[in-house]
Amino acid sequence: MEETLSLPQVRKLVLLSQRVPPAKPTGSATAATLSAIEHLGYIQIDTISVVERAHDHTLWNRNPRYEASQLAQLLDSKEVFEYWSHAAAYLPMRDYRFSLPRKMALARGDQEHWYDRDDRVIEMVLERIRKEGPLMAKDFDNAGKQPGDWKAKPAKQALEYLFMQGDLMVPRRVNFHKVYDLTERVLPGGIDTSEPEPEEYARFLITRFLEANGLGRPAEFAYLRKNTKRLISATMDEMISNGELLPIRVEGLTFYTLPNSLEALSQPLGRSKLKILSPFDNLLIQRKRITDLFGFDYQIECYVPAAKRQYGYFSLPILWDGKLVARMDCKNERKHSLLHIHHLALEPHLSKLDAFLDALHRELKAFLRFNQCSGIQLHKVSPAGFKPALQAALDDLT
């Protein structure tokens, strides 16, 4: 018989599994950062820097003592590596072998690359990195000044081709530009490089998702992972029959969870803590899931024409009281160390406005420090009647 959970129970389970708001930190700050990456399974990388970048923002929300130097340290110590999850991401090195199915599929031609193969350029790129060591795309831009040279665009495509199929890795970035090196020179000694069998890979995708998210559905386990839906479905059937997965009914929908996951519901959730989330936070990345479970219909509007934006270019979802209650379009004007709140939009269901304001005030103080801002400027609030109270609270921050 399927167990039934209410939406408040489900939201609590999801948030506890996502570790947001975070529990009281223990151990070193760098260890806490590694723990967050290993537990969540990936941290998405994004180039947008309207506020602090997505990977830093997501880690800071799990580890209040987070600093970007910790991520650099974990890359240098080879405890984390860069590759592809559903998108570009930092992944735990302990999971390296589970990046191999995608790499091997690309290398075998079972999955298409983004770029066409150019054997001449690929071999030239590999030969230079073998001889010279780690290189960036700009190191190949000689603008055709010497015979046999080629411009950066084909070389960059070759670098990405080799990176995606596993010949190259990215041991670090310089000013956010990738540095490429041979995989054998980047991997730590003793790492398991055996490709997992298909069922083992499917079990990994299912269990890691559920450990980090509490409960889920087949389409969520296979999210943006090509050619995995049928394999995941077959593996789920076996896991259900063995009692390794439990079906859960939520508002007429069937989800699945691990047998011990529901024990988390006995733990407290820090409902009074407010968190300002990145649009690429692990909690939010599957939009339909968040609509179904949290009633929060979210779209990042930086890809939407300006005239059609409802909330703003880069609105940040706000989590409070176990719910997603607002979104805040922000921009860090770094030249003047000024954080602009272009538009704060409250969800219609948000009540207890005084308590929300207190929680927002506390978190904005920390958010200013995280963004290295000393001032804050409020522009628009929806509903407008909330603006005077918020402005009075912000005046206390500067």
Side-chain angles (χ1 to χ4, degrees), residues 94-238:
R94 70 178 190 184
D95 294 341
Y96 173 78
R97 63 190 295 261
F98 293 101
S99 71
L100 295 176
R102 182 193 292 267
K103 293 173 180 175
M104 295 298 99
L106 288 165
R108 290 190 297 262
D110 297 339
Q111 186 172 323
E112 289 187 2
H113 275 281
W114 296 319
Y115 305 118
D116 293 334
R117 181 180 178 88
D118 186 325
D119 289 327
R120 183 183 71 89
V121 177
I122 285 173
E123 187 51 43
M124 292 174 79
V125 164
L126 275 174
E127 186 62 21
R128 279 197 60 186
I129 292 177
R130 285 192 196 104
K131 290 181 177 180
E132 300 176 37
L135 295 173
M136 294 188 287
K138 71 181 182 65
D139 295 318
F140 294 89
D141 187 8
N142 294 304
K145 293 177 181 177
Q146 300 176 25
D149 284 342
W150 64 97
K151 293 184 179 180
K153 186 175 180 181
K156 185 174 183 179
Q157 291 179 353
L159 288 164
E160 282 298 296
Y161 191 104
L162 292 164
F163 169 70
M164 287 302 296
Q165 71 176 29
D167 298 281
L168 300 178
M169 292 183 71
V170 176
R172 64 186 181 278
R173 291 187 179 220
V174 176
N175 296 325
F176 212 62
H177 296 289
K178 292 178 180 176
V179 177
Y180 298 87
D181 199 1
L182 300 179
T183 291
E184 57 263 33
R185 295 202 294 235
V186 176
L187 285 178
I191 191 76
D192 188 349
T193 58
S194 62
E195 184 180 0
E197 294 296 325
E199 183 182 339
E200 183 186 7
Y201 179 55
R203 282 176 174 269
F204 170 82
L205 294 178
I206 294 165
T207 56
R208 277 301 167 89
F209 182 91
L210 292 176
E211 287 167 353
N213 293 279
L215 77 173
R217 293 172 284 191
E220 295 166 1
F221 306 147
Y223 180 67
L224 295 184
R225 295 180 183 273
K226 291 184 177 180
N227 306 320
T228 60
K229 289 182 180 179
R230 187 174 299 176
L231 174 62
I232 283 175
S233 179
T235 304
M236 284 184 64
D237 289 341
E238 181 180 348

Side-chain angles (χ1 to χ4, degrees), residues 1 17 66 84 125 155-156 181 224 259 367 394:
M1 181 178 178
S17 300
Y66 173 78
W84 203 261
V125 164
K156 185 174 183 179
D181 199 1
L224 295 184
F367 195 64
L394 297 184

Side-chain angles (χ1 to χ4, degrees), residues 118-398:
D118 186 325
D119 289 327
R120 183 183 71 89
V121 177
I122 285 173
E123 187 51 43
M124 292 174 79
V125 164
L126 275 174
E127 186 62 21
R128 279 197 60 186
I129 292 177
R130 285 192 196 104
K131 290 181 177 180
E132 300 176 37
L135 295 173
M136 294 188 287
K138 71 181 182 65
D139 295 318
F140 294 89
D141 187 8
N142 294 304
K145 293 177 181 177
Q146 300 176 25
D149 284 342
W150 64 97
K151 293 184 179 180
K153 186 175 180 181
K156 185 174 183 179
Q157 291 179 353
L159 288 164
E160 282 298 296
Y161 191 104
L162 292 164
F163 169 70
M164 287 302 296
Q165 71 176 29
D167 298 281
L168 300 178
M169 292 183 71
V170 176
R172 64 186 181 278
R173 291 187 179 220
V174 176
N175 296 325
F176 212 62
H177 296 289
K178 292 178 180 176
V179 177
Y180 298 87
D181 199 1
L182 300 179
T183 291
E184 57 263 33
R185 295 202 294 235
V186 176
L187 285 178
I191 191 76
D192 188 349
T193 58
S194 62
E195 184 180 0
E197 294 296 325
E199 183 182 339
E200 183 186 7
Y201 179 55
R203 282 176 174 269
F204 170 82
L205 294 178
I206 294 165
T207 56
R208 277 301 167 89
F209 182 91
L210 292 176
E211 287 167 353
N213 293 279
L215 77 173
R217 293 172 284 191
E220 295 166 1
F221 306 147
Y223 180 67
L224 295 184
R225 295 180 183 273
K226 291 184 177 180
N227 306 320
T228 60
K229 289 182 180 179
R230 187 174 299 176
L231 174 62
I232 283 175
S233 179
T235 304
M236 284 184 64
D237 289 341
E238 181 180 348
M239 294 178 72
I240 292 166
S241 66
N242 292 339
E244 298 172 79
L245 286 181
L246 301 179
I248 302 289
R249 294 290 286 177
V250 182
E251 297 286 303
L253 301 173
T254 298
F255 290 77
Y256 297 89
T257 191
L258 300 173
N260 60 349
S261 292
L262 299 184
E263 296 173 8
L265 291 173
S266 63
Q267 301 173 17
L269 177 68
R271 295 182 179 277
S272 64
K273 297 178 183 177
L274 182 145
K275 299 306 296 183
I276 301 164
L277 302 176
S278 166
F280 303 104
D281 192 282
N282 297 51
L283 173 67
L284 298 160
I285 207 63
Q286 296 201 38
R287 309 302 196 205
K288 184 178 186 305
R289 172 181 170 87
I290 292 305
T291 300
D292 290 343
L293 298 183
F294 285 82
F296 190 73
D297 186 8
Y298 178 70
Q299 178 185 21
I300 184 170
E301 295 182 323
C302 56
Y303 309 115
V304 175
K308 295 184 178 181
R309 291 175 194 151
Q310 182 178 359
Y311 298 106
Y313 178 83
F314 202 66
S315 65
L316 311 176
I318 294 179
L319 173 71
W320 178 68
D321 194 27
K323 298 181 284 291
L324 291 160
V325 298
R327 57 197 91 197
M328 185 171 66
D329 181 40
C330 291
K331 180 177 176 60
N332 184 347
E333 188 183 352
R334 291 179 173 85
K335 183 178 179 180
H336 297 104
S337 300
L338 182 65
L339 182 72
H340 291 272
I341 300 178
H342 288 298
H343 186 194
L344 173 68
L346 309 183
E347 290 292 287
H349 62 76
L350 176 59
S351 58
K352 300 184 289 187
L353 289 179
D354 288 345
F356 168 76
L357 180 60
D358 288 344
L360 180 61
H361 177 269
R362 289 194 300 270
E363 189 62 12
L364 278 172
K365 188 175 183 179
F367 195 64
L368 281 173
R369 289 197 302 270
F370 172 62
N371 281 279
Q372 302 174 57
C373 289
S374 56
I376 189 166
Q377 186 171 339
L378 179 63
H379 297 270
K380 177 183 177 183
V381 177
S382 299
F386 187 64
K387 185 175 182 180
L390 178 57
Q391 183 63 66
L394 297 184
D395 290 342
D396 185 42
L397 293 178
T398 58

